[in-house]
Each structure stands twice: as structure tokens, then as C-alpha cells.
């Protein structure tokens, strides 16, 4: 099996509220590109949003790009998921 064929179950496992913006941004990239996981724009937006809230300029750009591919319902889901993660992480 080629390395690219290996799927990661949950790349965000182990992240805490203290995770750096870069770590959150990296998870967003994984989900947005489908690198080792199924591409998931809702999850990508969530992680880009969390990274942007911690000051990542790159994440702000990517978060906006994700919106172009999402329905309003998916956007609401991504925002809700980010809020829930912040509450659980804190």
C-alpha cells in the first residue's frame, strides 16, 4: 500500500485548547485537501476558523475559500462545530 493510500482516522486527536494556530491550520489543510482523510469542507472550515481565531492569517484566507464550496447549512454546521470544540476544549 502506498503512503498516500493510508487513511488517518482523526488527525485532530490529542489537540487541546493550548494547540497553536499552526497546528489547527494544519488540520484544516488535511481536511480541505483530503490528505490521508476524506476531504471534508465542513471540518476544514472548522479548523481554519479555530486557527484564524488564534491569529493565523493563512487560516483566514483558507476559511473564506472553503465558504465558496459550502452551502449555508454546511457553514452553520462548521460554525457550530467550532463553537462546540472551543467549549469542550476549555
Amino acid at each position: 500500500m502506498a503512503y498516500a493510500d493510508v487513511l488517518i482516522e482523526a488527525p485532530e486527536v490529542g489537540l487541546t485548547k493550548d494547540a497553536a494556530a499552526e497546528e489547527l491550520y494544519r488540520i484544516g489543510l488535511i481536511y480541505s485537501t483530503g490528505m490521508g482523510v476524506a476531504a471534508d469542507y465542513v471540518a476544514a472550515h472548522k479548523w481554519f476558523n479555530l486557527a484564524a481565531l488564534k491569529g493565523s492569517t493563512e487560516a483566514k484566507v483558507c476559511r473564506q475559500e472553503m465558504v465558496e464550496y459550502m452551502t449555508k447549512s454546511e457553514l452553520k454546521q462548521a460554525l457550530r462545530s467550532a463553537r462546540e470544540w472551543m467549549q469542550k476544549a476549555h
Side-chain angles (χ1 to χ4, degrees):
M1 175 184 297
Y3 177 75
D5 294 336
V6 176
L7 293 180
I8 303 167
E9 283 195 40
E12 65 273 17
V13 169
L15 286 181
T16 67
K17 64 178 176 139
D18 299 322
E22 184 61 33
E23 291 177 274
L24 302 170
Y25 172 70
R26 183 180 56 79
I27 301 300
L29 285 176
I30 289 170
Y31 280 113
S32 69
T33 61
M35 186 173 60
V37 298
D40 183 339
Y41 294 150
V42 172
H45 186 282
K46 167 189 172 177
W47 295 107
F48 287 142
N49 191 27
L50 292 167
L53 291 171
K54 288 197 171 205
S56 172
T57 303
E58 296 91 353
K60 289 177 185 178
V61 172
C62 291
R63 176 183 61 187
Q64 186 57 42
E65 289 174 358
M66 290 295 98
V67 171
E68 296 175 20
Y69 300 104
M70 299 168 68
T71 65
K72 288 182 181 182
S73 175
E74 289 171 329
L75 178 57
K76 286 181 184 179
Q77 181 184 355
L79 294 171
R80 182 174 47 252
S81 183
R83 279 191 305 273
E84 290 170 357
W85 189 85
M86 288 189 310
Q87 290 172 349
K88 289 178 184 176
H90 291 98

